[in-house]
Amino acid sequence: MSRGLSATDEDRSAVSIALLVGSISLFAAVSVAEANPAAGYEVSIYASTPLLFWAGIGVALSAGVAGLILGTSWIQWAGGLALTGLSLLSVPALPLIRGYFFYGLGDGLRHLGLARQLFTGDMSFFAEVYPGAYSFSGFLSAFSGVPLEQSMLFVAFTALVLYAVFIVLCVRTILPRRRAVAIAAVSALMLLPLNHISFHPHFHTFSMTTFLTPILLYVVIKHITDRGTDETIPGRLSSTDLGFAVAAVAVVFYHPQTALNVIIVLGAVVAIQRLSGRYLSDTVLARSPPAYGQLLFLAAVFVLWNFQHDAVFNMSANLLASLNGWILGTEQGGQIVTERVDSAQSVGLSVGELFVKLFIVPAFYVLVAGAVVVTNLFSEALDGGSRTVTTTFSFAGIALGVYSVAHFVGEMSGYFFRHIGFGMVLVTILAVIGLTMVGDRVDELRPSPSRLVRMVAVAGLAIALVLSILVVFPSPYLSQPTQHVSEQMYTGHETAMEYRAEGAALASTRSAPRQYSKAMGLYLDPRLAWGVPPEALPSDLRRFRGDDFPTQEFYYYLQVDQDEEQEVIAYGELRYDESDFTGVGETVGVSRVMTNGRVDVYHVKYGDGPVIGEPRVAGPEPPLDRPAGAPQGEVVT
């Protein structure tokens, strides 16, 4: 905002009108989306949401950004900040706005089952390694009366909101200026940690805990940059210490693996403080309050909680085994990358295109953060607070980088992108410092190219926002289906499990229906849950055997509209053709016994002829179905 504007009244009126129009557009957009709830499974939440919603969000977001850039008063600037935040947050809130029954296939359904068992008392709080999000969801459900599935959606969305709020507070503590806060807000709302490889926007405990990490970082930044004392708190304690204690316990209960990442960050902070105090005693960092108390407290809570669980110990053992295998040459590095690249190429998505869609904006922020680190090393351009945080985060990034790379080998490579997502939290804060510095330097140029620079900056911001919004949810844009779980899909599986013959197997395409049994708190033996290969559909269903139990002469095949849409639309008929699904009902010996319009259950009587697949013949008696006891062997860190 320029000083001494001659047309202040005109500018103020134009911005006020823009903010008013933007607010009305936002309200109308959300109302339109809410008035058009999901009628069934949606392979793309973007395409299924009314176009009027996206138009309204576009107008509201444009007005909000205009308020941030052109606002001539504090009220207009704050209004632009609020409108920008609400506009961008309305996108990840779409599952709630559009009345999704649940969001999160795969791990999401497993988390739903564990939360249900904890909520109903079938599982103890201390029996689960990360019960925090489950308990919070159960509390909200009991307190508000909403179904548990809805409360879990709200808990996942709350983590995103807290992430955005505390990223802004972290930056504001370092650089208490409007420009820095505005850049931090927009950057946080891009949700840069998301990568859809091992980091997701749904109820995924590691992802949610990482989104809560800025709360701890805010307290730590506040602590090491604070120069004041609080006489209302006795002794060496401070308000940041008390806030850290609460947040640290919550993070350990939400996901210990994320807590371990925070311990690594704090360890690096303490180490650089000690080194600065010994060798660079005249620096601001050397005089900063030590953080070893926070480190010791978090480490103690981490050890005490995980001492009663074996998940973290198993994780450590697997990590060491993978590293050892890589050293001996029996394990390869980057297995997850190879798998993802092959998967993308199989559906016609090139590596370059995938990188642009998923990582071009995070890569830009990494470059800016790297420039800030280099600037901090070789110049005095940063002020005291920025220098302190940049130095500590730089050392923390090195420590996290070593730990993350250790997960890049063998079977542990699937966890690598989890830690990449966690690292993007630190990168976002550092990059905001750098972008603020760039803005300051541009203002100092003479003659000032502010108009041209602003136009370029706004265009770049618009592109970055669009690219970021497009990858909040998986969709055919990424050659992935959405994680939507419709009520018809859930109840269809529930009815099939309730009325099936005892010991009869359930089958569906790709993934077997066992995840739904977990979501319902039921135990379904894995030998009774099959995935039907494409060569068996549709005419050879009767010759398919997942596990050949001799006591049954049939199994149930569940055809879900989600399977058909994800295979035909999202995966481009990579494995299954549309005719594979439409021809099931015409197959002799395959009879439909139940349907709710979204889930069709077929009775498949075994036929004669060569068997498709390699069935694993179990014992003479199939295991009886029983209520789930949440076998701890299934808990995955």
Side-chain angles (χ1 to χ4, degrees), residues 80-99:
L81 182 65
L83 188 58
T84 301
L86 292 174
S87 300
L88 291 174
L89 283 173
S90 66
V91 177
L94 276 174
L96 281 168
I97 295 173
R98 299 199 54 238

Side-chain angles (χ1 to χ4, degrees), residues 5 8 31-32 37 73 169 176 302 325 339 376 378 424 476 505 545 570 579 619:
L5 292 174
T8 302
S31 299
V32 168
S73 67
L169 291 178
F302 177 85
E339 292 176 355
N376 183 51
F378 298 103
M424 287 306 301
R545 308 285 192 276
S579 59

Side-chain angles (χ1 to χ4, degrees), residues 398-411:
I398 294 173
L400 276 175
V402 173
Y403 180 61
S404 301
V405 170
H407 291 79
F408 198 61
V409 298
E411 296 181 356

Side-chain angles (χ1 to χ4, degrees), residues 268 369 372-374 376-377 389-399 426 430:
V372 172
V373 173
V374 173
N376 183 51
L377 285 175
V389 172
T390 301
T391 304
T392 54
F393 278 15
S394 299
F395 275 80
I398 294 173
L426 305 183
L430 292 179

Side-chain angles (χ1 to χ4, degrees), residues 223-564:
H223 175 79
I224 64 178
T225 59
D226 191 17
R227 293 290 178 271
T229 58
D230 191 344
E231 297 180 355
T232 64
I233 299 177
R236 288 175 168 267
L237 293 178
S238 66
S239 58
T240 57
D241 296 331
L242 300 178
F244 182 90
V246 175
V249 173
V251 166
V252 172
F253 285 171
Y254 259 65
H255 205 295
Q257 195 178 46
T258 310
L260 182 58
N261 285 1
V262 178
I263 290 175
I264 293 173
V265 171
L266 283 176
V269 171
V270 170
I272 190 61
Q273 283 183 319
R274 295 288 293 177
L275 290 174
S276 299
R278 174 168 297 185
Y279 300 107
L280 301 171
S281 57
D282 59 337
T283 62
V284 176
L285 183 59
R287 297 190 299 270
S288 64
Y292 54 78
Q294 287 86 343
L295 173 61
L296 292 176
F297 178 83
L298 179 57
V301 175
F302 177 85
V303 171
L304 288 174
W305 176 253
N306 289 287
F307 186 76
Q308 58 183 325
H309 300 284
D310 59 0
V312 173
F313 300 102
N314 291 338
M315 179 77 174
S316 301
N318 293 336
L319 179 59
L320 292 175
S322 295
L323 288 173
N324 185 57
W326 178 70
I327 294 173
L328 296 177
T330 59
E331 296 279 4
Q332 295 182 348
Q335 181 178 342
I336 184 65
V337 176
T338 302
E339 292 176 355
R340 295 296 179 175
V341 168
D342 291 343
S343 177
Q345 291 178 339
S346 66
V347 294
L349 191 63
S350 67
V351 177
E353 184 181 357
L354 181 63
F355 177 83
V356 169
K357 290 180 176 180
L358 278 179
F359 297 111
I360 189 65
V361 178
F364 170 76
Y365 272 77
V366 169
L367 290 176
V368 176
V372 172
V373 173
V374 173
T375 301
N376 183 51
L377 285 175
F378 298 103
S379 75
E380 301 291 334
L382 277 67
D383 58 23
S386 299
R387 193 171 185 83
T388 299
V389 172
T390 301
T391 304
T392 54
F393 278 15
S394 299
F395 275 80
I398 294 173
L400 276 175
V402 173
Y403 180 61
S404 301
V405 170
H407 291 79
F408 198 61
V409 298
E411 296 181 356
M412 301 301 296
S413 62
Y415 294 95
F416 174 73
F417 284 93
R418 283 188 177 188
H419 301 292
I420 293 296
F422 182 91
M424 287 306 301
V425 178
L426 305 183
V427 166
T428 300
I429 295 174
L430 292 179
V432 170
I433 295 175
L435 292 173
T436 304
M437 292 173 57
V438 171
D440 295 341
R441 297 297 180 269
V442 170
D443 286 346
E444 295 172 0
L445 295 177
R446 291 293 182 270
S448 175
S450 58
R451 183 180 296 274
L452 175 61
V453 170
R454 281 187 179 183
M455 291 177 61
V456 174
V458 170
L461 175 63
I463 295 173
L465 284 174
V466 170
L467 290 174
S468 299
I469 289 173
L470 281 174
V471 297
V472 171
F473 299 105
S475 69
Y477 174 73
L478 298 174
S479 296
Q480 292 183 1
T482 185
Q483 296 285 305
H484 179 204
V485 180
S486 68
E487 187 172 6
Q488 298 96 324
M489 288 163 54
Y490 186 88
T491 57
H493 283 81
E494 186 177 42
T495 303
M497 293 178 191
E498 180 180 358
Y499 291 102
R500 73 187 177 97
E502 183 178 351
L506 297 174
S508 62
T509 58
R510 282 192 181 256
S511 59
R514 190 162 179 248
Q515 293 297 85
Y516 281 93
S517 68
K518 293 179 181 179
M520 299 164 195
L522 302 173
Y523 177 79
L524 180 63
D525 191 284
R527 294 170 296 180
L528 294 175
W530 304 345
V532 178
E535 59 267 22
L537 282 180
S539 58
D540 289 327
L541 277 172
R542 298 180 63 192
R543 295 196 294 116
F544 172 66
R545 308 285 192 276
D547 288 285
D548 195 8
F549 284 141
T551 57
Q552 292 293 348
E553 298 297 330
F554 64 90
Y555 68 94
Y556 297 103
Y557 168 69
L558 280 66
Q559 184 159 289
V560 189
D561 62 344
Q562 171 234 337
D563 294 336
E564 181 175 355

